[in-house]
Amino acid sequence: MTLVASALAVLLLSGFASLALGRKSFAAVVAVGGAVAAAALGIIPATMCLAGAAPVSIAVPWSVPGGAFHIGLDPLSSIFAVVILAVSALSAMYGAGYLQGHSSAASTGPHWFFYNALTASMLVVVTAQNAVLFLVAWECMALSSFFLVTFHNEHADVRKAGWIYLVASHMATAFLIFLFAVLGSRAGSFEFADWTSTPPAAGALFLVALIGFGAKAGIVPLHVWLPQAHPAAPSHVSAVMSGVMIKTGIYGLLRVTGFLGAPEAWWGYVLVAVGISSGILGVLFALAQHDIKRLLAYHSVENIGIIILGMGLGLVGISKGNSVLAVLGFSGAILHVVNHAIFKSLLFMGAGSVVRATGIRDIDSLGGLLKSLPWTAAMFFIGAAAISALPPLNGFVSEFLIFIGALSGFSLAHASVSLASCAAVASLALIGGLAAACFAKAFGMTFLGEPRSPLAHDPREAGPAMLAPMAVLSLACAAIGLLPAQAMALVSRAAAHLALASPVDAADALKWASFPLSAVSAVAFALFALVALLAAVRLVILSKRPVDHGLTWDCGYAKPTARMQYTSSSFAQPLTSLFRPLLQTHTKGGEPTGVFPGHTTFSTDTPDVFENSMFKPVFLAVAKVAALVRSFQHGRIHVYILYIVLALLVLLFWKLG
Amino acid sequence: MAAIILLIFAPLLAGVINRAKAFFAGRTGQPLLQVYFDIAKLLRKGVVYSRTTTWVFRAGPIVSLAAVLCAACMIPLGGVRALMSFPGDFILVAYLLGLARFMTVLAALDTGSAFEGMGASREVQFAALTEPALLLALISIGSATGDWSLHEMFAVVNAHAWAAHGAVLAMATVALLAVLLVENSRVPFDDPNTHLELTMIHEVMVLDHSGPDLAFIEFGASVKFAMFAALLSGLIVPVRTGLAWVDASAALAGLFAVAVVAGVIESCMARLRILRVPQMLVAASVLAGVAILVALAQGVAP
């Protein structure tokens, strides 16, 4: 545990050091060094805990009422801690390269301070054993990420995104303060260890937790801040926020569900429903986007949906006494947390390299970048295949666990469980198909074909500081895909604990999964071997045959141009028009007029339906009410003093009378 | 074992379809072994690559074929064992086919051709809707038979199972037939013989491939058809005697019967408007969903 504490100390010290260094280029080196050192320190005890060491904790008294600096590592905390530290360190390395030669005059010292503060606060969030400490860390996390999002605050849209994020974050925190206040006042203590008895109205508290933590995680319809904040932030920050920060919401929900006593079946069904709607709507909105980072942000909503779906099946499993469903549902959810952290940060880094090389985020204007950014393209390809849940990569493994968990739900006589499982399977299949479509679009339109618009300058491949972290993440994608049983072993203790399964039941559930997982691994290796074999066959055949190069065959048309290629909007059009009622895509122009139609333009735009039709009216109403109060506040100091005097007089009379 | 039979006979099934269509059109038709000849010829040819393309275009046919071959290892042929089987193997099959499709689509986009982009766009749309139909259809069979590996699921589909779960199996058969037709780009969803690139889906995506690459694609396509035909044959030919050669020859007959059915449908039906295809696919999913409900209702009832 001292190692975790020293990791925190290293993060904070290096953060302050880079703040002090300010504009000097050395600031980044110090901060990145700190992040890497902290990761090295913190991952050791966390891995030991995952490997089977007993949970450890450290408590330091704190003068805050009800609070104590009490942090500890159990299997659940350890998984999140490993992911947070590893992804933050890799993203920091990437960020150092990304911000190099950064043109804005702003000093990067404060940026790196907030970066390390974000890592430290996330680490405290997932290890806190005290509610007050948890909330303080939660708030530090929100604030430091706000300052990271608004790094390019010279742009108005970045300021707007930051503002939406800040408001969303704090509204969610209000729910959490309420939740922890109720739990704490009832138990008479803010130590998590004392929250053992089932509180009254546990179902209502569960919903409060779902809203509070769900907003951070990005479930539909509370996701509206995500597609705003992620594109606005610098890419390494997007990688951390999308890869790990939103997962603290998942951690919180998992942790708090444990304080609410035995879960009821409807909690599980609610989570399954929320997971399905987040998953499907997230991927549909992603399909309709043409800003690459906004597209990736919506995919976070989708993947959070898959995680919530797994958790929901887990809760259903607990309440119906089906330990296989419970353990596999939670295992799938936790492993998907890990997997999503890996491939989503990889994809944001890839997108960042594209943006840095071209200055363009609009996929419709890109194309053919594979030739100038070969390494970025190859690694973005791996990330794209992994997030589409394609074997032999990691995304498939976690979804497969949820799938076979759902199948185990079928063998029960409970029709409602079977229906939930059935809905889970069908929607996972639909989500998988749509995600593959979306990433065929994202990768294909960005990296393949010919450039769709002239670029200001030739794109240059990212440097080793940016490529190395991406390579590590790509290898992790392949490693988990090839060795799913080992990955399962890492998460199974936490999952068995969450599933309230006895050791015998847990072993039973693992036995259910172990054979399919080893078979998946065998097929993954066989696939690699077959690919190598076929590639060798092709090479041998072609070595004796003529290989010519020519133009793309455009059905006899001799002068194809880059403008004739499909764009991302046209590629996604069949699907977006199929789901038009949900997406409400606006189209502008494009209608040819007259006998000899001349020049015309066409554009589509898919704003967030929930933002426009759900939150906008509410906030406009709030603003209207607030405007009524505004006449009290006009900046004249003597009137303010009058208010104070009047208030004092009222208090005086109230006390005396 | 089933995989070996499938790989050997796969190109023959295309010949059977063509013969069935020729019969309806009053033609003699191609030789039954035409696809074998085509593949052998393509393997002897050189290739032409577009200057736009990259390694993705060259990897496409290789990875697609490898993924389809891996998937074929998990397909049983009636009572004939699959090479490997484990609970949930059909999910891996569905996702391996997804990998094959992903690579084909990317290879198509790599050419920068408007036509191939169009085919790719349609392919991903239909695939997204087909995947739930496929999984639901297989789950309905699984919930009727109580097993979750393809081999065990199909090993017990005998006359007795049809008597007990006739409705479920019939609905699953229809849903699977729809999946077979759309996944293998047959009429009424796609027309492999159309002469107009604008109307093609699968064929237009592979316009730029040539030589051994095209041979891989052709072989992969016929294996994919054979896989789905094997699943259907396992349903419609409920012969499970336990005698290997009886089961195998019955299932093989079923395989050819499915090919004939595909040929007959292709001869008797017009192609659907592309806008109608999603409705048909959703209908197949709904049908499979109803099959699951029926299976559950039967399972719950004493």
Side-chain angles (χ1 to χ4, degrees):
Chain A
M1 218 45 224
T2 6
L3 286 175
V4 177
S6 43
L8 284 173
V10 168
L11 280 172
L12 290 179
L13 286 178
S14 58
F16 279 114
S18 57
L19 184 64
L21 287 167
R23 211 173 289 264
K24 300 197 183 70
S25 61
F26 201 55
V29 180
V30 170
V32 174
V36 173
L41 287 171
I43 285 178
I44 299 171
T47 346
M48 272 162 56
C49 181
L50 286 179
V56 282
S57 69
I58 189 170
V60 181
W62 201 13
S63 56
V64 178
F69 190 83
H70 183 187
I71 55 174
L73 279 176
D74 64 355
L76 183 64
S77 300
S78 302
I79 290 172
F80 281 86
V82 168
V83 172
I84 285 168
L85 287 168
V87 171
S88 299
L90 289 171
S91 301
M93 284 161 69
Y94 176 90
Y98 185 77
L99 291 183
Q100 215 166 39
H102 152 73
S103 55
S104 149
S107 150
T108 54
H111 173 81
W112 286 111
F113 166 72
F114 286 119
Y115 186 92
N116 280 4
L118 172 65
T119 312
S121 50
M122 286 192 295
L123 187 58
V124 176
V125 163
V126 298
T127 51
Q129 300 287 315
N130 178 288
V132 177
L133 177 66
F134 183 97
L135 284 175
V136 169
W138 189 264
E139 190 56 28
C140 289
M141 182 173 86
L143 289 177
S144 49
S145 51
F146 166 76
F147 287 109
L148 291 174
V149 167
T150 51
F151 179 66
H152 289 293
N153 52 25
E154 65 274 16
H155 302 296
D157 55 337
V158 170
R159 291 195 299 271
K160 181 186 164 221
W163 177 243
I164 290 180
Y165 172 52
L166 200 64
V167 172
S169 216
H170 280 89
M171 289 185 53
T173 311
F175 281 88
L176 297 184
I177 292 175
F178 171 76
L179 172 76
F180 282 173
V182 170
L183 286 172
S185 65
R186 199 179 158 279
S189 152
F190 283 97
E191 286 290 305
F192 286 165
D194 297 333
W195 293 358
T196 45
S197 63
T198 308
L205 290 179
F206 172 75
L207 290 181
V208 171
L210 180 61
I211 295 172
F213 288 119
K216 179 62 82 181
I219 60 173
V220 168
L222 307 173
H223 66 281
V224 287
W225 65 270
L226 242 135
Q228 300 275 354
H230 287 335
S235 292
H236 59 292
V237 176
S238 318
V240 171
M241 285 179 66
S242 193
V244 291
M245 196 199 74
I246 60 172
K247 307 299 170 25
T248 56
I250 297 291
Y251 169 81
L253 193 56
L254 285 170
R255 183 63 77 192
V256 166
T257 311
F259 301 143
L260 301 179
E264 291 170 47
W266 68 263
W267 304 5
Y269 296 132
V270 165
L271 285 192
V272 169
V274 167
I276 289 176
S277 46
S278 294
I280 294 180
L281 287 172
V283 71
L284 283 178
F285 275 105
L287 260 170
Q289 304 306 319
H290 16 91
D291 175 332
I292 188 163
K293 289 179 77 178
R294 205 169 145 84
L295 179 149
L296 291 176
Y298 272 113
H299 269 287
S300 296
V301 177
E302 174 225 324
N303 279 283
I304 288 293
I306 295 174
I307 294 167
I308 298 265
L309 178 61
M311 286 168 59
L313 288 178
L315 287 182
V316 172
I318 297 178
S319 66
K320 297 287 181 187
N322 180 349
S323 59
V324 176
L325 177 59
V327 173
L328 292 187
F330 281 120
S331 306
I334 299 176
L335 192 56
H336 205 71
V337 166
V338 178
N339 288 341
H340 181 247
I342 296 172
F343 51 63
K344 185 48 70 63
S345 46
L346 171 60
L347 287 166
F348 264 117
M349 290 178 192
S353 301
V354 169
V355 174
R356 194 170 182 273
T358 62
I360 298 175
R361 290 208 313 244
D362 182 7
I363 312 177
D364 281 341
S365 313
L366 293 169
L369 284 178
L370 190 140
K371 296 190 188 82
S372 41
L373 311 175
W375 291 106
T376 303
M379 293 189 278
F380 193 92
F381 169 76
I382 292 177
I387 197 173
S388 309
L390 296 176
L393 298 172
N394 59 350
F396 176 72
V397 174
S398 40
E399 289 195 25
F400 183 73
L401 282 175
I402 301 179
F403 266 121
I404 58 172
L407 290 182
S408 81
F410 266 95
S411 27
L412 275 185
H414 300 292
S416 54
V417 182
S418 304
L419 287 183
S421 299
C422 183
V425 170
S427 24
L428 269 182
L430 180 64
I431 293 170
L434 292 173
C438 193
F439 274 94
K441 166 184 125 164
F443 179 74
M445 297 302 155
T446 311
F447 292 102
L448 304 179
E450 297 285 352
R452 286 177 178 73
S453 67
L455 294 172
H457 52 88
D458 279 342
R460 281 223 326 270
E461 178 62 293
M466 292 163 74
L467 289 177
M470 291 170 69
V472 173
L473 292 167
S474 308
L475 286 178
C477 283
I480 297 183
L482 287 170
L483 303 169
Q486 284 73 3
M488 172 78 179
L490 284 181
V491 301
S492 59
R493 276 185 73 209
H497 181 70
L498 285 170
L500 310 173
S502 67
V504 180
D505 285 344
D508 212 36
L510 293 182
K511 216 187 287 164
W512 221 86
S514 71
F515 178 49
L517 283 181
S518 48
V520 166
S521 154
V523 172
F525 278 107
L527 185 67
F528 271 109
L530 258 178
V531 167
L533 180 71
L534 289 173
V537 167
R538 173 180 167 278
L539 273 184
V540 169
I541 294 176
L542 287 187
S543 63
K544 295 178 221 129
R545 314 248 181 272
V547 176
D548 290 334
H549 295 272
L551 271 181
T552 292
W553 168 245
D554 246 354
C555 306
Y557 190 72
K559 280 199 186 303
T561 72
R563 297 276 297 159
M564 292 179 188
Q565 294 176 97
Y566 252 45
T567 61
S568 81
S569 315
S570 45
F571 185 79
Q573 186 270 337
L575 280 165
T576 48
S577 71
L578 191 62
F579 293 98
R580 197 185 306 118
L582 290 171
L583 293 172
Q584 299 181 5
T585 302
H586 303 304
T587 56
K588 208 163 74 187
E591 289 293 316
T593 48
V595 182
F596 299 104
H599 179 85
T600 180
T601 57
F602 177 75
S603 65
T604 65
D605 177 32
T606 311
D608 199 293
V609 173
F610 295 95
E611 186 186 336
N612 285 344
S613 48
M614 196 171 138
F615 289 102
K616 218 177 204 165
V618 173
F619 279 95
L620 284 179
V622 170
K624 214 178 248 172
V625 173
L628 296 179
V629 196
R630 189 179 288 161
S631 54
F632 292 109
Q633 197 174 24
H634 31 56
R636 284 186 214 120
I637 293 204
H638 51 274
V639 184
Y640 287 167
I641 295 174
L642 182 68
Y643 291 160
I644 296 173
V645 172
L646 282 176
L648 278 177
L649 277 177
V650 169
L651 285 177
L652 204 63
F653 280 119
W654 177 55
K655 193 70 193 166
L656 294 178
Chain B
M1 294 308 95
I4 296 166
I5 301 180
L6 287 183
L7 295 193
I8 293 173
F9 285 100
L12 183 58
L13 294 178
V16 172
I17 299 179
N18 282 330
R19 270 300 172 87
K21 286 169 65 180
F23 173 78
F24 271 81
R27 291 182 282 116
T28 321
Q30 307 163 339
L32 275 173
L33 302 181
Q34 184 63 45
V35 180
Y36 297 95
F37 301 149
D38 287 348
I39 292 174
K41 180 185 71 188
L42 286 169
L43 284 174
R44 289 198 306 272
K45 294 246 179 196
V47 282
V48 183
Y49 289 119
S50 158
R51 270 184 281 273
T52 307
T53 59
T54 59
W55 59 265
V56 174
F57 183 78
R58 289 149 183 77
I62 295 174
V63 179
S64 297
L65 179 59
V68 170
L69 291 180
C70 283
C73 293
M74 283 167 273
I75 302 288
L77 180 59
V80 184
R81 272 207 88 86
L83 216 52
M84 69 185 302
S85 86
F86 54 92
D89 53 2
F90 60 93
I91 295 161
L92 183 55
V93 169
Y95 277 80
L96 280 169
L97 294 180
L99 172 66
R101 184 182 311 112
F102 189 69
M103 289 307 295
T104 313
V105 164
L106 288 185
L109 293 178
D110 199 14
T111 61
S113 144
F115 291 106
E116 300 201 26
M118 188 161 53
S121 157
R122 291 172 182 166
E123 174 91 358
V124 295
Q125 181 200 9
F126 298 159
L129 299 173
T130 319
E131 229 160 73
L134 171 63
L135 290 187
L136 286 177
L138 291 173
I139 287 176
S140 70
I141 304 171
S143 37
T145 59
D147 286 303
W148 297 115
S149 75
L150 282 172
H151 171 70
E152 287 173 4
M153 235 185 250
F154 281 90
V156 293
V157 182
N158 48 22
H160 178 68
W162 269 94
H165 302 284
V168 177
L169 295 180
M171 285 190 274
T173 307
V174 176
L176 268 183
L177 180 65
V179 172
L180 171 133
L181 294 175
V182 68
E183 280 276 348
N184 295 288
S185 29
R186 315 296 314 188
V187 173
F189 298 103
D190 185 9
D191 187 353
N193 292 342
T194 174
H195 60 278
L196 199 61
E197 292 86 352
L198 267 177
T199 63
M200 296 177 181
I201 300 173
H202 182 264
E203 291 301 311
V204 76
M205 285 199 298
V206 299
L207 272 182
D208 246 65
H209 288 285
S210 54
D213 292 346
L214 191 56
F216 285 180
I217 290 172
E218 294 283 337
F219 186 56
S222 47
V223 172
K224 193 170 163 193
F225 182 86
M227 284 164 52
F228 284 100
L231 293 182
L232 268 178
S233 156
L235 277 177
I236 58 173
V237 184
V239 179
R240 306 284 185 275
T241 56
L243 292 170
W245 63 273
V246 178
D247 285 2
S249 37
L252 206 55
L255 214 55
F256 291 120
V258 173
V260 171
V261 168
V264 172
I265 291 176
E266 211 146 321
S267 308
C268 305
M269 259 184 100
R271 195 181 152 182
L272 287 172
R273 282 170 60 203
I274 281 185
L275 295 177
R276 292 258 173 251
V277 172
Q279 298 174 359
M280 287 292 290
L281 295 176
V282 173
S285 298
V286 171
L287 192 65
V290 173
I292 294 179
L293 288 182
V294 174
L296 287 177
Q298 281 181 339
V300 172

